[in-house]
Each structure stands twice: as C-alpha cells, then as structure tokens.
Amino acid sequence: MSSGTIVKVSGPLVIAKDMRDANMFDVVRVSKRRLIGEIIEMHGDRASIQVYEETSGLGPGEPVESTGVPMSVELGPGLIGSIFDGIQRPLTEIMKISGNNLTRGVEVPSLNREKKWMFKPSVEVGTEVIGGDIIGTVLETDIVLHKIMVPISVKGKVVSIHQGEFSVTETVAVIHTESGDLPLTLMQKWPVRKGRPFEQKLTPEKPLITGQRVIDCLFPIAKGGVAAIPGPFGSGKTVTQHQLAKWAEADIIVYIGCGERGNEMTDVLLEFPELIDPNTGKSLMERTILIANTSDMPVAAREASIYTGITIAEYFRDMGYSVALMADSTSRWAEALREMSGRLEEMPGEEGYPAYLGSRLAQFYERAGRVISLGSDRREGTLSVIGAVSPPGGDISEPVSQATLRIVKVFWGLDAGLAYKRHFPAINWLTSYSLYSDTLGDWFKQNVSDDWMDLRDRFMSLLQDESELDEIVKLVGMDSLSSKDRLKMETARSIREDFLHQLAFHEIDTHTSLSKQAHMMRLILAYYDTALETLDNGADIEDISKLAVREKIGRFKYIEEDKVVEEYQHVIDEMMVEIHACVVKEEF
C-alpha cells in the first residue's frame, strides 16, 4: 500500500504527494477521517484524487493511504431490496450507526456479513467448472433466485461443496485450480469501471413491454436496448421512469437516483414496497435495487453511482435475467464530470463540459445489450438502459442531450406544452422515434396481432396529418376544412386523448396489456373507417363527431383486462348502429 500527504484541497479534488507506488483508479482513504476517494490522474509522485465525501475541513499535511485496489462493488445475496449510496454503502445500515445524517468516513460493508443464506448446490464434487458456471442457488426473495457463479477468471475442479446456511463471507465450495485450491464464497467483487465480459453479444429482437401505450405502440424499446428521456423541468421524466420501473417486463430493476431531488427517491421508497408486481403478485421491492445519490449528497459520487448501478445490473444479467436500469439523470452525472474537469484545469469542450463527455456516455450505454453469458451452459441475459436527460430550459441542442442522441436508439422527447395541458406521459409523438420499430415488428405480428404494425403506422400517419391540418386551422379556422379532414382531426384527437393519454395513478389505466392496446387501436380506427364511408353516403360530420358511442371509446381504457373482448364487440355493435342512423337521418 502507498501512503502520502495532502498538498492541495479544491472542493472534491484532493492532490497528494509521495504516491509513486499507487495506480490509476485505486481507492484511497483521505485524512484521519478516512474519507473515500479514487485516483483519477497521476503526475510523477503526485496523485489527483476525486473524493466521494464532503471535504470541508481538510488541509495540507494530512495523510492519504491507497488501498491498492480499484473501486469495486460487492456482488452477492443481499442486493435485492437494498438502498445504497453512490459508492455502494448501505444507507439503512449507516442510519443505524449515525442517525439521519450521513457521517463522513463511516465504514460499513455493502453486504450484510451477519445474515445467513440457504445455499443449495447445483454441481457435485469432481465437476469441472469454468468462470461464469453456476455452482448453486440462494432464494434471495420470493421471486428472485440468486445464482452463485464461479468468478470469471477461475477454472478448475470442485473438490468440496456444501449445502446449508452461510453468510456471504463463509466458504461454500473449494475449486482446485492450476495455482492451488481456491475457496469460493457467496460474494464476489468486481471493479465498477470495467464491464463484465460475456461470450457473445446478440441483436435485440424482443420488446421490453412496459404497459405504457405511447411507448409499446409507437416508440418501443427492445430488451437489451438503450433509450433516452430528455425533457425540461416538470415535463414528467421522473414519473415516466417510475412507471417504467414499476411495470416494465424485467426480472430485476436497478434504479439510480443520480443528482435528483431527495423527495423523488423518497417517493420510490414509499411507493414500491406497497405496489404489487402484476406478473408475480409480490411487492415490487422484491426485484428492485435502489442507488440514491441525491442533489444534496457529494457531487463527485454521482459519477461512481452510475458505474455502481450498471455493474450490479450486469451481474444479474450474467445469471440469465432480464434487467432494466433507470438512470435519473445522466445530466447531473455530466455536471459532476464538468466540475472535476474544471478543477483539474483540463481544456474545456462545449459549454464547459470535458472534451471526453461523449466517449464517457458511450462507455456507459454500450454496457447494455442482449448477451450470451460466460459459462458451460448457454444463458441468455439482457440489460436495458433508460437514461433521463435534464437539458437546461428543455433545450436539447446542449452537449449532454446531443451526445446521448448519437448513442441511443430510442428517443422519448418530453414536451413541456403537453405537460402543461396535463397530457401524461408527455412524450411528443412528432419528435420522438424508435430505431427498433422495424426490428420488433415481426415479434409483434407473431405474438400479439398480425395487423399490429399496420395499426401503428396508421396511427402515426393520422397524428402527422393532424399536425399539418392544425396549421391551417390556426390560420383560417376549422370551418375551412373538408368533412374528411375534419374527421381526421376528430380521430387524431381521439388517438391523443383516448389512447396516448394514460393515468399513472389510475388502478386500471396505469398498465395496459398489448392485447388491450391492439383492441383500443382497432376501435379508434374502426370509428374512422366506418365514419369515412358514411361521409361518402352523405352523412353530416357534425352528427358523426357528436355520437354518444364516442364516450364509450374514450372510456375503453378503464375496462378491466378480462372484459376487453366482450366490451370491444359491444362498442363496435353500438357504433355501427349509431353511424348507420346518421346516414338514414340524412336520407330521410
């Protein structure tokens, strides 16, 4: 271990001398308070250290001690349902020691060393194993089976393995390797800045079903895909991410509150334990890991929180699970990079951000994907990453938004105008896009409905036409439009208000199955097609737009899932009668 002394303190940046034996990215303990830091630059025997805790009161001459190991996370049973800070310190355990205030320099192991876990072996003595092989399982929660894997660099023969209750530090198996016997515990460590390796990366082919209609229908994300949610203050970034965390069809959720307000993380902590997962019937916290590094916590730790979260997510991906990671928000992380870059006196890029901002964002997002994990058995896991971006004033021409857009395949652009109209999710259908739509089209056709892509394309076409017609209406008024154009406007309004608008806090409307979404699309387009025919037969657009059945179309989203097919047919029959009556009335 290398030890030196502080020569300069500049906010979260500490410069220490006599650190010749230390290495880049080593974790260091700064001052007698033993604050956690990481070496981010070396010049001769001088180390520039990014300190992840408050540095007020530090001064030159105080000791600095290198641990000789990079910033790593502890991976093992006990992760699910926990809440960590940006450097994987368990906040619940820290509160027991220091109360409600986060004491500087407090040292608490990330995983509970006392708790015993029931380990069931899945290999026998004499089995040849390689890195990534599953040697046993621990039932971590009622819905998550934690698979204990051989560390990635290990290869050898199992010489002993035991069933029973063990803490994360007790030996459960011994592997005979070329360099001798190696004891294995339930826990392993992994450096956060290094992506966990895999056998093969595959093309994402299945959608990550979210239950949010505007996403699943118009702008889907694939399992193993990446998406960005940029939007101004108050447009619903956090609400949208909470909805995705609650309802996305993923086995494990990792939610990173990176630089956001503390009350938003409080909402998660209060809501998630009470919410029931529709797929399992259990509490959502039984498949969720929270990392909280809120706006009043040390700025530098925001960078670590992003890497901590994605490393934990990769670990569960390697078990063969579908993992969804929410990062809220990458803009706050970029601000931490900008602050450190400025204190290191680096040449600034656009708007003061470091010139390497784009490459750092790419390094983060490229760790998502659908992969074949290492190991003898062929396990497929996916890691989907959804990052919120908070551009100042909603201006997405700023560097963080632009760098993100060059990387991600899905853009859910939030619109302040829609949010002010109380239209949630406030995803603008004219500016958003998904590059996965065509790839996922075959899956939707095979697993949901043959006409899914046709329905989607017609919805997009009607919304686009409405935008163009709206310009004419603003200039010369609605009466200047033909009957068919007015019908288009009415149908597009129905798409917006009855389909795209979704109530996050309504018991039924908060989540919609793909089958129900298909029925909703067919219902709105059936109204449009039938009304179009009656206009040709001389019906009046005023009568068609005021039909009583339109209220039932609007309220169809509140129909319970098991009654959808019956109610759909009932509304269609009623619609035909009412629209036919309009034609008869005109003939009369």
Side-chain angles (χ1 to χ4, degrees), residues 3-6 16 29-34 59-65:
S3 58
T5 52
I6 296 175
R29 290 289 182 172
V30 179
S31 84
K32 292 173 184 174
R33 293 191 182 93
R34 295 182 62 76
E62 294 200 55
V64 173
E65 183 185 296

Side-chain angles (χ1 to χ4, degrees), residues 99 113 155 171 196 544:
R113 299 293 193 260
K155 182 180 180 181
T171 301
R196 286 176 64 87
I544 288 171

Side-chain angles (χ1 to χ4, degrees), residues 67 96 157 186 222 228 233 253 321 417 438 457 522 530 575:
T67 61
K96 291 175 185 174
K157 183 186 286 187
L186 299 180
F233 173 79
I253 299 291
Y321 287 124
D438 295 336
D457 292 344
R522 288 194 200 101
T530 315
M575 183 197 304

Side-chain angles (χ1 to χ4, degrees), residues 109-172:
S110 301
L111 297 179
N112 190 326
R113 299 293 193 260
E114 307 299 322
K115 187 169 181 178
K116 299 281 187 177
W117 299 94
M118 186 63 195
F119 172 72
K120 291 185 178 178
S122 55
V123 296
E124 296 175 352
V125 172
T127 308
E128 294 282 347
V129 293
I130 59 173
D133 279 355
I134 295 167
I135 59 166
T137 57
V138 168
L139 189 64
E140 188 168 355
T141 70
D142 287 345
I143 57 176
V144 176
L145 187 67
H146 197 113
K147 299 169 187 176
I148 307 302
M149 297 177 287
V150 176
I152 282 162
S153 58
V154 175
K155 182 180 180 181
K157 183 186 286 187
V158 179
V159 292
S160 77
I161 189 164
H162 306 284
Q163 178 169 331
E165 293 197 338
F166 299 91
S167 71
V168 292
T169 53
E170 291 175 335
T171 301
V172 295

Side-chain angles (χ1 to χ4, degrees), residues 35-53:
L35 309 184
I36 298 175
E38 183 182 24
I39 296 175
I40 55 173
E41 213 172 73
M42 292 288 293
H43 293 289
D45 72 336
R46 292 200 168 206
S48 297
I49 299 162
Q50 179 170 255
V51 181
Y52 292 131
E53 299 184 71

Side-chain angles (χ1 to χ4, degrees), residues 494-514:
S494 183
I495 293 171
R496 286 189 287 106
E497 295 178 1
D498 305 335
F499 185 83
L500 298 181
H501 180 269
Q502 193 165 353
L503 296 173
F505 298 104
H506 188 280
E507 187 181 357
I508 295 171
D509 197 34
T510 186
H511 177 274
T512 308
S513 69
L514 294 182

Side-chain angles (χ1 to χ4, degrees), residues 240-537:
T240 305
Q241 285 212 318
H242 284 194
Q243 281 295 95
L244 295 174
K246 290 173 192 173
W247 307 119
E249 207 174 73
D251 301 314
I252 308 290
I253 299 291
V254 179
Y255 191 96
I256 308 170
C258 177
E260 289 302 302
R261 291 175 298 283
N263 63 317
E264 292 174 351
M265 285 308 295
T266 307
D267 285 346
V268 175
L269 285 168
L270 293 175
E271 277 184 37
F272 277 35
E274 294 179 8
L275 286 167
I276 301 302
D277 184 343
N279 300 314
T280 62
K282 302 288 184 180
S283 165
L284 278 176
M285 278 307 287
E286 292 199 12
R287 63 179 177 99
T288 305
I289 300 158
L290 301 175
I291 294 170
N293 198 84
T294 54
S295 50
D296 59 344
M297 290 167 124
V299 171
R302 291 177 191 174
E303 190 194 4
S305 64
I306 290 283
Y307 292 115
T308 297
I310 202 156
T311 305
I312 292 171
E314 284 177 331
Y315 174 64
F316 284 99
R317 174 208 70 189
D318 289 348
M319 294 181 197
Y321 287 124
S322 166
V323 186
L325 180 139
M326 316 292 160
D328 187 13
S329 97
T330 54
S331 291
R332 307 282 179 257
W333 172 50
E335 285 167 10
L337 288 179
R338 179 167 63 181
E339 175 164 344
M340 289 308 300
S341 176
R343 292 185 185 279
L344 288 166
E345 299 175 6
E346 294 173 339
M347 183 67 75
E350 192 179 351
E351 291 190 23
Y353 287 102
Y356 48 79
L357 172 67
S359 65
R360 287 285 179 88
L361 280 165
Q363 285 166 16
F364 167 65
Y365 280 109
E366 73 183 4
R367 288 171 74 170
R370 173 177 167 236
V371 305
I372 301 296
S373 303
L374 292 175
S376 307
D377 60 327
R378 186 181 170 87
R379 289 193 307 279
E380 184 183 300
T382 59
L383 169 52
S384 315
V385 175
I386 298 158
V389 185
S390 311
D395 176 19
I396 63 166
S397 65
E398 57 89 42
V400 183
S401 301
Q402 289 303 306
T404 305
L405 289 183
R406 284 193 287 272
I407 300 160
V408 301
K409 299 283 187 75
V410 180
F411 172 77
W412 297 320
L414 295 177
D415 190 316
L418 286 173
Y420 291 142
K421 291 175 185 174
R422 295 291 184 266
H423 180 108
F424 289 105
I427 295 173
N428 189 316
W429 46 87
L430 300 174
T431 58
S432 303
Y433 61 81
S434 169
L435 301 182
Y436 295 116
S437 293
D438 295 336
T439 315
L440 299 174
D442 291 339
W443 187 93
F444 281 113
K445 286 177 182 176
Q446 291 170 15
N447 294 276
V448 186
S449 171
D450 289 341
D451 59 350
W452 178 276
M453 293 306 289
D454 296 331
L455 296 170
R456 174 194 179 276
D457 292 344
R458 290 191 67 193
F459 261 35
M460 289 298 291
S461 177
L462 283 165
L463 290 167
Q464 190 66 48
D465 289 348
E466 182 202 30
S467 172
E468 293 166 8
L469 292 170
D470 198 43
E471 297 298 319
I472 298 170
V473 170
K474 285 175 181 173
L475 287 171
V476 288
M478 183 69 81
D479 295 339
S480 63
L481 296 181
S482 67
S483 294
K484 289 185 178 179
D485 282 344
R486 284 183 65 183
L487 178 61
K488 268 187 185 175
M489 294 285 281
E490 284 294 325
T491 308
R493 182 165 71 90
S494 183
I495 293 171
R496 286 189 287 106
E497 295 178 1
D498 305 335
F499 185 83
L500 298 181
H501 180 269
Q502 193 165 353
L503 296 173
F505 298 104
H506 188 280
E507 187 181 357
I508 295 171
D509 197 34
T510 186
H511 177 274
T512 308
S513 69
L514 294 182
S515 172
K516 183 177 175 181
Q517 290 183 41
H519 278 92
M520 291 174 74
M521 288 193 280
R522 288 194 200 101
L523 201 56
I524 292 169
L525 290 172
Y527 166 77
Y528 176 68
D529 293 336
T530 315
L532 206 55
E533 284 178 26
T534 58
L535 284 178
D536 290 336
N537 294 333

